Amino acid sequence: MASSTGDQSQAVRNGLRAKVLTLHSMNPRVRRVEYAVRGPIVQRALELEQELRQGVKKPFTEVIRANIGDAQAMGQKPITFLRQVLALCVNPDLLTSPSFPDDAKKRAERILQACGGHSLGAYSVSSGIQVIREDVAQYIERRDGGIPADPNNVFLSTGASDAIVTVLKLLVAGEGHTRTGVLIPIPQYPLYSATLAELGAVQVDYYLDEERAWALDVSELHRALCQARGHCHPRALCVINPGNPTGQVQTRECIEAVIRFAFEERLFLLADEVYQDNVYAAGSQFHSFKKVLMEMGPPYARQQELASFHSTSKGYMGECGFRGGYVEVVNMDAAVQQQMLKLMSVRLCPPVPGQALLDLVVSPPAPTDPSFAQFQAERQAVLAELAAKAKLTEQVFNKAPGISCNPVQGAMYSFPRVQLPPRAVERAQELGLAPDMFFCLRLLEETGICVVPGSGFGQREGTYHFRMTILPPLEKLRLLLEKLSRFHAKFTLEYS
C-alpha cells in the first residue's frame, strides 16, 4: 500500500490528479483470478515469437504452443461441410453457386430462415435460436438412446465456458461460513478456480487418484465435503468427463456413485462434457450424466439437479473461434430457470455464427445426404489421428527416465508427472517460482516448447506435472515429445 500511496503523492506533486482506479482500489476478487492456460508462461512465449520475427538468435526456430486445446491453431483442417454451410450463411449470394452441395444449401437456408431478417448479423433471442435449440434437444435424445430432452431446458451459449460461469453465478451466495462452496477436481481446468475467485465463492478441492489413472473416488468426495463444511456451505459438485487436464474417462459405475453422492448430500451437479467426442482408449466409453441419471430412475431422475455442458471448440470440430456451446438443465427450479434466462439476457445473445455452427455439429449430414461420405471420412480421420497421438504421447513419455504419463483415454491433453531434483526445487524457491513453473520456463527458453505447469491446475503437494496438448501434427508431436524428454534428462543432470 505504501508504494501506491507514494505513487499517488508523486502524481499530486507533478500536478496530476490521482487515479480513481488503481491496483489497490480495484475489485480485489479480480486480482485473485489466475488462469494458467494463458498465464505468464504464454506471455513469455508471445515475446519469444516477437523476438524470433525480429531476427534474435534462439536455440530454436519456432515456438510450439502446446499450452491450449486450439486444434486449428495446431494445423487441424476444418470439416468441409461445417465451413460450407457457414460460408453460405455469411454470404447468401453463394446459394446460387454450383460449387456447394445441395444439402449444404438447404441447411443454410433453414438456418437463415430462423434468423432475424434472415441474416446471421441479427441478434437472436437470449436463449438461442429456437430451431437450433430443438436440434440440440434431438441430438441429446439420440445420444442418450431415446431419453427425451426438452428444448426449453436448453440454452445456447458463448462456448461452454460462458454457460458454466452463468450457472455458477446462480449458485454463489452467502458470506463468511455460509459462502457457497463448489467441489472441483484437482487437477482442474482453471476456468473453475478463476470463476470461483471472481465470484467470491469457496473452492473445495477433491483429488483425482493419479495411481489409478486419475480415477474419481467417492470416498475422496466425502473427505473434501466433510472438511469444507467447517468453513463454507458446499452446494455444488463439478465433474469434468472426459477429463481436462488428465484425459481420463469416467466409468458408468463411477457416474452412478457420483450421482448418489450428490443426491444424498444435496449438491447441484455440473457435468462438463465438452470432450464427449474425444474417447480413444480401448474399453473406454462416454456416458452422459443425463443418461445415467435418467436410467437410475426415481428418486434421482426426478429430483437431482444437473447442468451439463457441451461445445463446438473440441471434439473432431476444433472450431474454438466461433464460440458455440450449450447447457442443458435438468430438474432446475422453474423460477431459477427464469432467473438464468434473465442473466443471459444481460449479454443479449450468444454469437449467431457460433449458434449456426452448433446446429451443424448436433445435426450433421444424414447417410442419404450428398455430403455424408466426405463428412464421415474427415471426422473419422481427425479422431483416428487423435487416438494415435494419445497413444504416442503415453509411450514416449513412459520411456523417458523421470517422466510418467497415465493413459490418455480421452480429451486432448496429457498431464505427465516429472521428477525434479532437490537442487532444482531449491533454485525455483530462490527465484520465487513454483518448481514446475521453473522447469516449464526453462523448457520454453531452451526449446521453444510452451506447456503449462501442473501448479496452474492443482496437484498433490510434492508432485510436479505439466499439461501438454496432443494436437500438433503426428510427426511434429513425435519430435516435440522426444525433444522434451531430452530436455528433462539434461535439466535433471544439471541440477543433480
Side-chain angles (χ1 to χ4, degrees), residues 390-412:
K391 193 69 180 171
L392 176 69
T393 301
E394 176 194 349
Q395 289 172 342
V396 173
F397 277 148
N398 285 329
K399 285 178 185 174
I403 304 179
S404 59
C405 182
N406 272 314
V408 182
Q409 297 172 327
M412 295 178 170

Side-chain angles (χ1 to χ4, degrees), residues 44-82:
R44 179 58 187 148
L46 292 170
E47 290 170 4
L48 287 171
E49 286 178 331
Q50 180 68 18
E51 290 172 18
L52 283 171
R53 284 193 292 270
Q54 293 169 348
V56 179
K57 295 296 181 186
K58 299 287 178 185
F60 48 85
T61 57
E62 66 170 330
V63 172
I64 302 174
R65 283 198 259 167
N67 61 294
I68 195 165
D70 191 348
Q72 293 184 26
M74 300 303 290
Q76 181 177 307
K77 292 183 179 178
I79 300 295
T80 301
F81 180 75
L82 305 184

Side-chain angles (χ1 to χ4, degrees), residues 139-148 286-292 295 328:
Y139 160 80
I140 294 169
E141 192 166 325
R142 287 193 308 273
R143 181 198 68 189
D144 292 344
I147 294 169
F286 172 74
H287 301 277
S288 79
F289 267 78
K290 161 82 176 295
K291 182 176 191 286
V292 175
E295 289 180 346
E328 182 192 20

Side-chain angles (χ1 to χ4, degrees), residues 392 396 472-483:
L392 176 69
V396 173
L474 194 59
E475 285 313 306
K476 182 178 258 190
L477 178 65
R478 187 188 304 276
L479 294 172
L480 183 157
L481 294 168
E482 291 169 353
K483 195 174 184 181

Side-chain angles (χ1 to χ4, degrees), residues 9-20:
S9 300
Q10 183 64 42
V12 172
R13 284 196 296 272
N14 291 341
L16 300 173
R17 194 172 63 171
K19 293 190 182 298
V20 173

